[in-house]
Amino acid sequence: MTADRKKQQAAQAALAHVREDQIIGIGTGSTVNHFIEALAAQKLRIRGAVSSSEATTARLKTHGIEVLDLNSTGELDIYVDGADESDRQLRLIKGGGAALTREKIIAAASHRFVCIVDDSKLVEVLGRFPLPVEVIPMARAHVARALRRLGGHPVYRESTLTDNGNQILDVHGLSILDPISLEQAINQIVGVVTVGLFASRPADVLIVGGETGVVSMT
Ligand code: 5RP
C-alpha cells in the first residue's frame, strides 16, 4: 500500500471525530488535503473552518467550506492536522510544509487535536525528520548560531517564505530525548517565531494509517 493511501485512510477515519455545527481547525499538507476531500464528500453541515495556511484556505474555498477568522470564533472544538513525525506520547515534529506557526496557534486554541499520519511518521525518538524553525529573516544567522550551540545543524530552506513572510531553518542531527525542554529552549532564542516541536501541546489523538487499516492512539 502506498504512503498516500495510508494517509487517505487516516484522513477518512478522522471524520468520526467531527460533529455537525462545529467549527473545525484545519492544518496543511497532503494528509489534510485528503481530509478536506473526505469532509466535502461527507456533506456534514459544519459551521466553517479555521485554516492554517493560504494553501488550505484555497482548497477549502474550492469545496465551498466557509473559512473563518480565529479572532471571531472563540476556542475550537477540534483541530485536524498531519505531522512529519510523532512519538508514542503524541509529541510531534511539524512544519515540513512551512505552516507551523499558524498550525501551532490553532492547536493551542483547540480543545482536541486529532493528528493524522501514515505509519512511516511514527518514531521512538523525535529528530530523524529535520526540525523546522520559523525565523524573522534578519535574525536567521543569529538563530542558526544559537541552534548550533544546542547541538543541531541548521540548514536554511532556500526559496521558501512562510505565509507570515518569514524564513525556515531545518535543524538536522538532533536526537530529541526531552522535547518539552528543547521546545522551551528554542522558543527562548531571540528571532525565533515558532519551533515545529509540538510537545508542550501534543496531539490528543493520533490516527495512524498502515498496511492493515488505521490505529488510533491517545
Ligand atoms: C505542514 C505540516 C504537515 O502537517 C506535515 O508536513 C505533514 O505533511 P504531509 O501530510 O504532506 O505528509 O506540518 O507545515
Side-chain angles (χ1 to χ4, degrees), residues 40 55 69 90 95-96 115 151 172 179 192:
D69 179 352
L90 314 195
C115 185
H172 295 248
V192 166

Side-chain angles (χ1 to χ4, degrees), residues 15-98:
L15 280 181
H17 294 266
V18 176
R19 306 271 171 271
E20 288 210 331
D21 291 325
Q22 282 181 332
I23 299 173
I24 305 171
I26 301 196
T28 297
S30 57
T31 318
V32 162
N33 289 345
H34 285 303
F35 175 72
I36 295 170
E37 304 296 325
L39 187 65
Q42 178 97 341
K43 300 206 185 311
L44 265 178
R45 280 185 304 154
I46 61 167
R47 276 163 51 210
V50 172
S51 167
S52 66
S53 65
E54 303 301 331
T56 290
T57 297
R59 193 170 281 263
L60 289 166
K61 287 182 174 169
T62 301
H63 288 288
I65 297 171
E66 189 176 359
V67 178
L68 303 169
D69 179 352
L70 185 63
N71 288 308
S72 61
T73 58
E75 293 189 341
L76 305 179
D77 295 312
I78 181 167
Y79 177 46
V80 179
D81 197 1
D84 299 300
E85 269 186 8
S86 175
D87 68 11
R88 292 182 186 280
Q89 285 145 283
L90 314 195
R91 301 173 299 192
L92 312 171
I93 287 181
K94 292 187 46 54

Side-chain angles (χ1 to χ4, degrees), residues 2 47 87 150 159 183-184 196 199:
T2 64
R47 276 163 51 210
D87 68 11
L150 290 174
S159 72
E183 184 178 9
Q184 287 169 349

